[in-house]
Amino acid sequence: MTETPAVAAPPERFNFAQHLLAINEGRAAKAAFIDDTGTLTYAQLQERVRRVAAGLRSLGIRREERVLLLMQDGNDWPVSFLGSMYAGLVPVAVNTLLTADDYAYMLEHSRAQAVLVSGALLPTLNAAMTRAEHEVGRVIVSRPIAPLQPNEVEFETFLQGQRGVAKPATTHGDDPGFWLYSSGSTGRPKGTVHSHANPYWTAELYGKAVLGLHEGDVCFSAAKLFFAYGLGNGLTFPLSVGATTILMGERPTPEATFKRWRGEVGGMKPTIFYGAPTGFAGMLAHPQLPARDAVALRMASSAGEALPAELGERFKRHFGVDIVDGIGSTEMLHIFLSNRPERVRYGTTGWPVPGYEIALRAEGGGPVPDGEPGDLYIQGPSAAMMYWGNRAKTRETFQGGWTQSGDKYVRNEDGSYTYSGRSDDMLKVSGIYVSPFEVEATLVQHPAVLEAAVIGKEDADGLTKTKAFVVLKAGGQADEVELKAFVKDRLAPYKYPRFIEFVTELPKTATGKIQRFKLRELEARRR
């Protein structure tokens, strides 16, 4: 691993929530978070974190037990996340775009003892709880929109009367701190367990050392806090330097994003914006794209999917600032390979982040020469501890000190790296993994569909979208609109195929296995 002598390791006894509160004690009146309802100062953050910790302990939840965090981005999110960690509990932050079936699985898998949920998501949670065998003791509802049931309590009511925990739980840097769920090519999501020390390392090695964040920055992330990328952007990094974060509960549409860029929420304009290539493409194509002098951006960051060079160059021409593109993962918590604010090479993912080591390996495990694709492995201090309850996948991904990413990369002569695809069939669509198998399995549930195959198809901006090749049954009838709606009704909305092509047969091996690579070759010839 690259030496980083300037970065001291956290002490053996280390509670990450307490660490963030302690380094910001001198910023009591400063805004820590701004959402649509108002401003949360650093003093209020500290008080509310301690009250959440006290409230969760009062429910009888014990050290290292899990609490599910199903909340839209807003001031209650960081309070809930850090309050859980402060109490020595383990928050499980989950995607707000999933289905009741997904949440039922996560409740059972995590054995969550309580749920902190946004009022708008409460109906979906209730549907999940009726399907899950595991029983949740208490549901704490942020900003309810309907009358609550006996086992539900409003967030502010929950905090009232709590004196606040005076001291944090005595945790160690290697103790479980929180979970994030990572998608897989097959099967259920994997509960990725991160330690209390892991976010400390990402803030020190990337937020400070690479991005150069400082307390004068105002951060705004299109990626939500439940993503590993968004968690660093909107919580870990800004709180580690005493900066301010703008949080947005709604979808990051161009209109909603521009509203924050112009300072129309909370009166502050972001200096740092974190997005994904699909979002940048939509904004640059939007007729209301703000002028350069209407925003205060000094830098933009991108991750989630490879950034096409043309998008970065267009953004730079319009705003006069670069998009700093990098790659991270749920397993590594944040970015480990990145361009630099002072050194951007568009079309590449940049250079290894100091403190992380990168290796490209051939199928047999040996090294590959520059210019040839290899499987990407990472070694660094922020790697997850395990996948909870999944020993086989843990061993497959976490190999000694190395983490297998599932991506293929090429190393260039200047030491930068260029993305070369996935090692499996997983697709990154708008920065979120989509399993082709899951979409295919849903399509074939339609009574008119015989079989289906899903691949990635590049759009006009060079970004990957899902395309399904569908074979209908003899006499079966269905059109593109109907099948898209069918998938949307059964899976998270972002998983539906953007393109559908009806074919008479799919290419297969002699044993009947669908050959997706031939469909990918077909699409490549059409471009």
Side-chain angles (χ1 to χ4, degrees):
M1 186 171 66
T2 306
E3 293 295 326
T4 54
V7 179
E12 181 182 358
R13 290 191 175 187
F14 183 73
N15 183 295
F16 183 66
Q18 165 62 10
H19 166 72
L20 293 181
L21 296 184
I23 62 178
N24 288 297
E25 284 185 348
R27 301 185 176 97
K30 184 177 181 181
F33 295 97
I34 300 171
D35 69 6
D36 291 349
T37 67
T39 297
L40 185 72
T41 67
Y42 274 100
Q44 292 168 330
L45 173 67
Q46 179 154 172
E47 178 191 9
R48 290 169 73 82
V49 163
R50 293 173 185 269
R51 288 190 176 211
V52 166
L56 292 173
R57 285 184 180 178
S58 74
L59 297 177
I61 305 175
R62 297 171 295 182
R63 283 280 301 272
E64 297 186 12
E65 289 186 323
R66 273 75 62 194
V67 293
L68 199 76
L69 184 56
L70 175 57
M71 301 178 77
Q72 296 168 332
D73 280 19
N75 291 345
D76 290 344
W77 203 108
V79 168
S80 301
F81 183 82
L82 295 174
S84 301
M85 294 183 73
Y86 195 88
L89 311 181
V90 180
V92 180
V94 298
N95 189 331
T96 59
L97 305 175
L98 302 179
T99 66
D101 284 340
D102 293 319
Y103 299 134
Y105 168 76
M106 291 171 178
L107 287 169
E108 292 182 351
H109 182 247
S110 68
R111 297 190 286 277
Q113 299 301 302
V115 180
L116 294 133
V117 61
S118 293
L121 301 171
L122 184 57
T124 307
L125 173 68
N126 284 331
M129 290 195 298
T130 62
R131 303 176 194 185
E133 294 183 4
H134 172 72
E135 293 186 7
V136 175
R138 181 57 66 94
V139 176
I140 303 147
V141 186
S142 170
R143 303 175 192 173
I145 58 176
L148 300 181
Q149 300 301 311
N151 71 320
E152 300 165 354
V153 60
E154 195 267 334
F155 191 83
E156 293 301 325
T157 302
F158 179 69
L159 297 190
Q160 288 174 6
Q162 303 293 342
R163 297 185 57 182
V165 174
K167 294 182 180 180
T170 306
T171 53
H172 291 245
D174 287 338
D175 284 349
F178 60 95
W179 292 15
L180 301 172
Y181 273 95
S182 176
S183 298
S185 58
T186 59
R188 292 288 196 174
K190 302 181 293 293
T192 310
V193 182
H194 279 286
S195 70
H196 275 264
N198 283 2
Y200 168 86
W201 286 115
T202 62
E204 295 295 322
L205 298 178
Y206 192 72
K208 295 181 183 180
V210 174
L211 295 184
L213 296 186
H214 55 76
E215 64 177 337
D217 277 319
V218 178
C219 300
F220 173 44
S221 176
K224 301 301 185 182
L225 290 167
F226 61 75
F227 289 116
Y229 179 49
L231 181 64
N233 302 341
L235 192 155
T236 303
F237 295 174
L239 293 191
S240 292
V241 297
T244 298
T245 298
I246 296 172
L247 296 176
M248 179 175 71
E250 62 185 300
R251 289 179 55 245
T253 61
E255 296 89 346
T257 300
F258 297 157
K259 184 178 178 182
R260 275 83 185 170
W261 281 8
R262 292 190 295 261
E264 296 172 16
V265 176
M268 301 183 75
K269 293 182 178 181
T271 61
I272 311 291
F273 174 71
Y274 306 87
T278 296
F280 284 114
M283 289 186 290
L284 288 170
H286 199 278
Q288 298 175 11
L289 182 68
R292 181 186 298 195
D293 60 4
V295 303
L297 296 177
R298 71 171 183 86
M299 184 173 59
S301 164
S302 178
E305 54 188 329
L307 177 74
E310 191 266 344
L311 281 181
E313 291 162 356
R314 282 168 55 199
F315 191 90
K316 175 69 174 289
R317 285 195 299 269
H318 185 85
F319 289 108
V321 297
D322 280 306
I323 299 177
V324 179
D325 185 37
I327 181 176
S329 68
T330 305
E331 289 75 12
M332 294 303 297
L333 189 56
H334 213 273
I335 290 172
F336 47 78
L337 187 62
S338 180
N339 284 272
R340 307 288 194 276
E342 72 286 351
R343 189 186 185 194
V344 172
R345 181 183 171 189
Y346 286 123
T348 79
T349 314
W351 296 264
V353 171
Y356 294 86
E357 187 174 347
I358 302 296
L360 297 184
R361 300 179 184 175
E363 287 189 10
V368 298
D370 287 0
E372 294 187 14
D375 292 318
L376 178 68
Y377 286 75
I378 314 100
Q379 184 169 252
S382 63
M385 302 170 71
M386 70 179 98
Y387 296 130
W388 183 265
N390 195 333
R391 191 178 187 187
K393 278 292 183 182
T394 296
R395 286 180 165 180
E396 180 183 325
T397 300
F398 305 103
Q399 302 178 12
W402 293 91
T403 300
Q404 182 183 30
S405 73
D407 296 293
K408 286 187 177 291
Y409 265 83
V410 172
R411 188 179 186 273
N412 305 309
E413 290 184 0
D414 64 355
S416 65
Y417 288 76
T418 300
Y419 181 67
S420 187
R422 287 285 299 173
S423 305
D424 53 27
D425 285 314
M426 290 293 285
L427 302 173
K428 265 285 185 78
V429 181
S430 300
I432 308 176
Y433 278 119
V434 174
S435 168
F437 306 99
E438 185 179 22
V439 180
E440 292 163 0
T442 303
L443 282 167
V444 298
Q445 294 174 24
H446 190 283
V449 175
L450 177 63
E451 54 189 1
V454 172
I455 65 168
K457 170 184 169 70
E458 285 191 1
D459 65 11
D461 291 310
L463 299 169
T464 300
K465 307 299 179 188
T466 42
K467 176 172 181 176
F469 292 85
V470 174
V471 179
L472 296 178
K473 296 176 181 176
Q477 292 185 346
D479 60 23
E480 185 174 343
V481 174
E482 179 182 352
L483 291 184
K484 287 181 178 180
F486 184 82
V487 176
K488 282 184 179 180
D489 286 343
R490 288 158 177 79
L491 297 179
Y494 64 85
K495 296 181 181 180
Y496 83 94
R498 270 53 168 193
F499 309 98
I500 293 179
E501 180 176 337
F502 294 96
V503 294
T504 56
E505 61 179 353
L506 296 173
K508 298 177 182 176
T509 65
T511 58
K513 183 178 179 181
I514 295 174
Q515 295 173 307
R516 291 184 188 82
F517 75 92
K518 289 191 174 181
L519 297 174
R520 289 193 287 266
E521 290 173 352
L522 173 64
E523 282 299 321
R525 291 195 297 271
R526 290 173 173 176
R527 291 202 296 268

PDB file of all heavy atoms in Angstrom, residues 138-158:
ATOM      1  N   ARG A 138     -39.950  -1.008  17.237  1.00  0.00           N
ATOM      2  CA  ARG A 138     -40.463   0.352  17.192  1.00  0.00           C
ATOM      3  C   ARG A 138     -40.102   0.991  15.854  1.00  0.00           C
ATOM      4  O   ARG A 138     -39.010   0.793  15.334  1.00  0.00           O
ATOM      5  CB  ARG A 138     -39.878   1.175  18.350  1.00  0.00           C
ATOM      6  CG  ARG A 138     -40.350   2.630  18.428  1.00  0.00           C
ATOM      7  CD  ARG A 138     -41.877   2.726  18.535  1.00  0.00           C
ATOM      8  NE  ARG A 138     -42.395   2.195  19.761  1.00  0.00           N
ATOM      9  CZ  ARG A 138     -42.646   2.925  20.843  1.00  0.00           C
ATOM     10  NH1 ARG A 138     -42.429   4.219  20.831  1.00  0.00           N
ATOM     11  NH2 ARG A 138     -43.131   2.357  21.931  1.00  0.00           N
ATOM     12  N   VAL A 139     -41.035   1.776  15.332  1.00  0.00           N
ATOM     13  CA  VAL A 139     -40.831   2.513  14.089  1.00  0.00           C
ATOM     14  C   VAL A 139     -40.864   4.000  14.411  1.00  0.00           C
ATOM     15  O   VAL A 139     -41.838   4.501  14.976  1.00  0.00           O
ATOM     16  CB  VAL A 139     -41.918   2.165  13.045  1.00  0.00           C
ATOM     17  CG1 VAL A 139     -41.746   3.013  11.791  1.00  0.00           C
ATOM     18  CG2 VAL A 139     -41.868   0.671  12.700  1.00  0.00           C
ATOM     19  N   ILE A 140     -39.794   4.711  14.074  1.00  0.00           N
ATOM     20  CA  ILE A 140     -39.663   6.141  14.358  1.00  0.00           C
ATOM     21  C   ILE A 140     -39.801   6.884  13.039  1.00  0.00           C
ATOM     22  O   ILE A 140     -39.016   6.662  12.109  1.00  0.00           O
ATOM     23  CB  ILE A 140     -38.300   6.430  15.021  1.00  0.00           C
ATOM     24  CG1 ILE A 140     -38.166   5.593  16.308  1.00  0.00           C
ATOM     25  CG2 ILE A 140     -38.146   7.907  15.323  1.00  0.00           C
ATOM     26  CD1 ILE A 140     -36.772   5.165  16.612  1.00  0.00           C
ATOM     27  N   VAL A 141     -40.797   7.766  12.949  1.00  0.00           N
ATOM     28  CA  VAL A 141     -41.204   8.344  11.668  1.00  0.00           C
ATOM     29  C   VAL A 141     -40.814   9.819  11.585  1.00  0.00           C
ATOM     30  O   VAL A 141     -41.272  10.647  12.383  1.00  0.00           O
ATOM     31  CB  VAL A 141     -42.718   8.192  11.449  1.00  0.00           C
ATOM     32  CG1 VAL A 141     -43.108   8.673  10.045  1.00  0.00           C
ATOM     33  CG2 VAL A 141     -43.148   6.741  11.657  1.00  0.00           C
ATOM     34  N   SER A 142     -39.996  10.137  10.602  1.00  0.00           N
ATOM     35  CA  SER A 142     -39.601  11.523  10.340  1.00  0.00           C
ATOM     36  C   SER A 142     -40.615  12.167   9.397  1.00  0.00           C
ATOM     37  O   SER A 142     -40.895  11.645   8.322  1.00  0.00           O
ATOM     38  CB  SER A 142     -38.200  11.547   9.704  1.00  0.00           C
ATOM     39  OG  SER A 142     -37.883  12.838   9.237  1.00  0.00           O
ATOM     40  N   ARG A 143     -41.203  13.275   9.835  1.00  0.00           N
ATOM     41  CA  ARG A 143     -42.160  14.043   9.033  1.00  0.00           C
ATOM     42  C   ARG A 143     -43.314  13.175   8.517  1.00  0.00           C
ATOM     43  O   ARG A 143     -43.491  12.975   7.313  1.00  0.00           O
ATOM     44  CB  ARG A 143     -41.446  14.721   7.854  1.00  0.00           C
ATOM     45  CG  ARG A 143     -40.305  15.624   8.308  1.00  0.00           C
ATOM     46  CD  ARG A 143     -39.517  16.191   7.149  1.00  0.00           C
ATOM     47  NE  ARG A 143     -38.287  16.805   7.604  1.00  0.00           N
ATOM     48  CZ  ARG A 143     -37.324  17.275   6.817  1.00  0.00           C
ATOM     49  NH1 ARG A 143     -37.465  17.196   5.507  1.00  0.00           N
ATOM     50  NH2 ARG A 143     -36.244  17.816   7.306  1.00  0.00           N
ATOM     51  N   PRO A 144     -44.106  12.617   9.426  1.00  0.00           N
ATOM     52  CA  PRO A 144     -45.227  11.766   9.012  1.00  0.00           C
ATOM     53  C   PRO A 144     -46.242  12.538   8.182  1.00  0.00           C
ATOM     54  O   PRO A 144     -46.428  13.741   8.357  1.00  0.00           O
ATOM     55  CB  PRO A 144     -45.834  11.292  10.337  1.00  0.00           C
ATOM     56  CG  PRO A 144     -45.391  12.299  11.350  1.00  0.00           C
ATOM     57  CD  PRO A 144     -44.054  12.787  10.893  1.00  0.00           C
ATOM     58  N   ILE A 145     -46.905  11.834   7.281  1.00  0.00           N
ATOM     59  CA  ILE A 145     -47.915  12.453   6.422  1.00  0.00           C
ATOM     60  C   ILE A 145     -49.297  11.875   6.677  1.00  0.00           C
ATOM     61  O   ILE A 145     -50.259  12.244   5.998  1.00  0.00           O
ATOM     62  CB  ILE A 145     -47.538  12.297   4.930  1.00  0.00           C
ATOM     63  CG1 ILE A 145     -47.383  10.815   4.568  1.00  0.00           C
ATOM     64  CG2 ILE A 145     -46.252  13.059   4.619  1.00  0.00           C
ATOM     65  CD1 ILE A 145     -47.096  10.578   3.099  1.00  0.00           C
ATOM     66  N   ALA A 146     -49.410  10.968   7.656  1.00  0.00           N
ATOM     67  CA  ALA A 146     -50.690  10.346   8.001  1.00  0.00           C
ATOM     68  C   ALA A 146     -50.654   9.980   9.474  1.00  0.00           C
ATOM     69  O   ALA A 146     -49.576   9.913  10.086  1.00  0.00           O
ATOM     70  CB  ALA A 146     -50.922   9.099   7.139  1.00  0.00           C
ATOM     71  N   PRO A 147     -51.821   9.764  10.100  1.00  0.00           N
ATOM     72  CA  PRO A 147     -51.850   9.359  11.514  1.00  0.00           C
ATOM     73  C   PRO A 147     -51.017   8.101  11.746  1.00  0.00           C
ATOM     74  O   PRO A 147     -50.981   7.206  10.905  1.00  0.00           O
ATOM     75  CB  PRO A 147     -53.340   9.105  11.768  1.00  0.00           C
ATOM     76  CG  PRO A 147     -54.044   9.939  10.752  1.00  0.00           C
ATOM     77  CD  PRO A 147     -53.178   9.930   9.533  1.00  0.00           C
ATOM     78  N   LEU A 148     -50.353   8.040  12.902  1.00  0.00           N
ATOM     79  CA  LEU A 148     -49.451   6.939  13.190  1.00  0.00           C
ATOM     80  C   LEU A 148     -50.149   5.830  13.967  1.00  0.00           C
ATOM     81  O   LEU A 148     -51.128   6.054  14.678  1.00  0.00           O
ATOM     82  CB  LEU A 148     -48.245   7.448  13.983  1.00  0.00           C
ATOM     83  CG  LEU A 148     -47.402   8.528  13.287  1.00  0.00           C
ATOM     84  CD1 LEU A 148     -46.219   8.919  14.166  1.00  0.00           C
ATOM     85  CD2 LEU A 148     -46.914   8.055  11.925  1.00  0.00           C
ATOM     86  N   GLN A 149     -49.621   4.616  13.824  1.00  0.00           N
ATOM     87  CA  GLN A 149     -50.137   3.441  14.516  1.00  0.00           C
ATOM     88  C   GLN A 149     -49.463   3.320  15.887  1.00  0.00           C
ATOM     89  O   GLN A 149     -48.467   3.996  16.173  1.00  0.00           O
ATOM     90  CB  GLN A 149     -49.872   2.191  13.667  1.00  0.00           C
ATOM     91  CG  GLN A 149     -50.531   2.228  12.298  1.00  0.00           C
ATOM     92  CD  GLN A 149     -52.039   2.381  12.381  1.00  0.00           C
ATOM     93  OE1 GLN A 149     -52.698   1.651  13.137  1.00  0.00           O
ATOM     94  NE2 GLN A 149     -52.589   3.321  11.612  1.00  0.00           N
ATOM     95  N   PRO A 150     -49.990   2.435  16.765  1.00  0.00           N
ATOM     96  CA  PRO A 150     -49.460   2.341  18.136  1.00  0.00           C
ATOM     97  C   PRO A 150     -47.967   2.046  18.227  1.00  0.00           C
ATOM     98  O   PRO A 150     -47.297   2.502  19.167  1.00  0.00           O
ATOM     99  CB  PRO A 150     -50.288   1.200  18.743  1.00  0.00           C
ATOM    100  CG  PRO A 150     -51.588   1.267  18.003  1.00  0.00           C
ATOM    101  CD  PRO A 150     -51.228   1.640  16.594  1.00  0.00           C
ATOM    102  N   ASN A 151     -47.410   1.283  17.283  1.00  0.00           N
ATOM    103  CA  ASN A 151     -45.978   0.954  17.353  1.00  0.00           C
ATOM    104  C   ASN A 151     -45.108   2.005  16.665  1.00  0.00           C
ATOM    105  O   ASN A 151     -43.898   1.837  16.545  1.00  0.00           O
ATOM    106  CB  ASN A 151     -45.706  -0.414  16.726  1.00  0.00           C
ATOM    107  CG  ASN A 151     -45.862  -0.400  15.211  1.00  0.00           C
ATOM    108  OD1 ASN A 151     -46.775   0.236  14.681  1.00  0.00           O
ATOM    109  ND2 ASN A 151     -44.986  -1.103  14.509  1.00  0.00           N
ATOM    110  N   GLU A 152     -45.723   3.111  16.225  1.00  0.00           N
ATOM    111  CA  GLU A 152     -45.005   4.167  15.518  1.00  0.00           C
ATOM    112  C   GLU A 152     -44.960   5.439  16.367  1.00  0.00           C
ATOM    113  O   GLU A 152     -45.914   5.762  17.075  1.00  0.00           O
ATOM    114  CB  GLU A 152     -45.688   4.465  14.176  1.00  0.00           C
ATOM    115  CG  GLU A 152     -45.746   3.257  13.244  1.00  0.00           C
ATOM    116  CD  GLU A 152     -46.713   3.425  12.091  1.00  0.00           C
ATOM    117  OE1 GLU A 152     -47.445   4.444  12.055  1.00  0.00           O
ATOM    118  OE2 GLU A 152     -46.749   2.525  11.222  1.00  0.00           O
ATOM    119  N   VAL A 153     -43.846   6.151  16.284  1.00  0.00           N
ATOM    120  CA  VAL A 153     -43.694   7.391  17.039  1.00  0.00           C
ATOM    121  C   VAL A 153     -43.060   8.437  16.131  1.00  0.00           C
ATOM    122  O   VAL A 153     -42.172   8.122  15.335  1.00  0.00           O
ATOM    123  CB  VAL A 153     -42.851   7.176  18.312  1.00  0.00           C
ATOM    124  CG1 VAL A 153     -41.451   6.681  17.964  1.00  0.00           C
ATOM    125  CG2 VAL A 153     -42.764   8.455  19.131  1.00  0.00           C
ATOM    126  N   GLU A 154     -43.531   9.659  16.252  1.00  0.00           N
ATOM    127  CA  GLU A 154     -42.991  10.745  15.437  1.00  0.00           C
ATOM    128  C   GLU A 154     -41.586  11.096  15.914  1.00  0.00           C
ATOM    129  O   GLU A 154     -41.282  11.040  17.110  1.00  0.00           O
ATOM    130  CB  GLU A 154     -43.932  11.955  15.545  1.00  0.00           C
ATOM    131  CG  GLU A 154     -43.690  13.016  14.483  1.00  0.00           C
ATOM    132  CD  GLU A 154     -42.738  14.075  14.973  1.00  0.00           C
ATOM    133  OE1 GLU A 154     -42.664  14.282  16.201  1.00  0.00           O
ATOM    134  OE2 GLU A 154     -42.062  14.686  14.127  1.00  0.00           O
ATOM    135  N   PHE A 155     -40.712  11.436  14.996  1.00  0.00           N
ATOM    136  CA  PHE A 155     -39.293  11.646  15.289  1.00  0.00           C
ATOM    137  C   PHE A 155     -39.081  12.687  16.385  1.00  0.00           C
ATOM    138  O   PHE A 155     -38.320  12.458  17.334  1.00  0.00           O
ATOM    139  CB  PHE A 155     -38.576  12.064  14.000  1.00  0.00           C
ATOM    140  CG  PHE A 155     -37.082  12.056  14.100  1.00  0.00           C
ATOM    141  CD1 PHE A 155     -36.354  10.895  13.925  1.00  0.00           C
ATOM    142  CD2 PHE A 155     -36.384  13.225  14.363  1.00  0.00           C
ATOM    143  CE1 PHE A 155     -34.966  10.891  14.016  1.00  0.00           C
ATOM    144  CE2 PHE A 155     -35.002  13.242  14.450  1.00  0.00           C
ATOM    145  CZ  PHE A 155     -34.293  12.057  14.272  1.00  0.00           C
ATOM    146  N   GLU A 156     -39.737  13.838  16.267  1.00  0.00           N
ATOM    147  CA  GLU A 156     -39.547  14.898  17.265  1.00  0.00           C
ATOM    148  C   GLU A 156     -40.076  14.473  18.633  1.00  0.00           C
ATOM    149  O   GLU A 156     -39.468  14.767  19.666  1.00  0.00           O
ATOM    150  CB  GLU A 156     -40.233  16.187  16.807  1.00  0.00           C
ATOM    151  CG  GLU A 156     -39.603  16.821  15.579  1.00  0.00           C
ATOM    152  CD  GLU A 156     -38.142  17.179  15.789  1.00  0.00           C
ATOM    153  OE1 GLU A 156     -37.783  17.571  16.916  1.00  0.00           O
ATOM    154  OE2 GLU A 156     -37.357  17.065  14.829  1.00  0.00           O
ATOM    155  N   THR A 157     -41.204  13.774  18.646  1.00  0.00           N
ATOM    156  CA  THR A 157     -41.749  13.263  19.907  1.00  0.00           C
ATOM    157  C   THR A 157     -40.774  12.272  20.545  1.00  0.00           C
ATOM    158  O   THR A 157     -40.584  12.258  21.773  1.00  0.00           O
ATOM    159  CB  THR A 157     -43.102  12.584  19.667  1.00  0.00           C
ATOM    160  OG1 THR A 157     -43.997  13.526  19.061  1.00  0.00           O
ATOM    161  CG2 THR A 157     -43.700  12.061  20.954  1.00  0.00           C
ATOM    162  N   PHE A 158     -40.146  11.470  19.700  1.00  0.00           N
ATOM    163  CA  PHE A 158     -39.177  10.482  20.176  1.00  0.00           C
ATOM    164  C   PHE A 158     -38.006  11.167  20.884  1.00  0.00           C
ATOM    165  O   PHE A 158     -37.489  10.666  21.894  1.00  0.00           O
ATOM    166  CB  PHE A 158     -38.682   9.655  18.985  1.00  0.00           C
ATOM    167  CG  PHE A 158     -37.669   8.605  19.317  1.00  0.00           C
ATOM    168  CD1 PHE A 158     -38.004   7.485  20.060  1.00  0.00           C
ATOM    169  CD2 PHE A 158     -36.363   8.726  18.871  1.00  0.00           C
ATOM    170  CE1 PHE A 158     -37.066   6.511  20.365  1.00  0.00           C
ATOM    171  CE2 PHE A 158     -35.411   7.758  19.170  1.00  0.00           C
ATOM    172  CZ  PHE A 158     -35.773   6.651  19.920  1.00  0.00           C
TER     173      PHE A 158
END
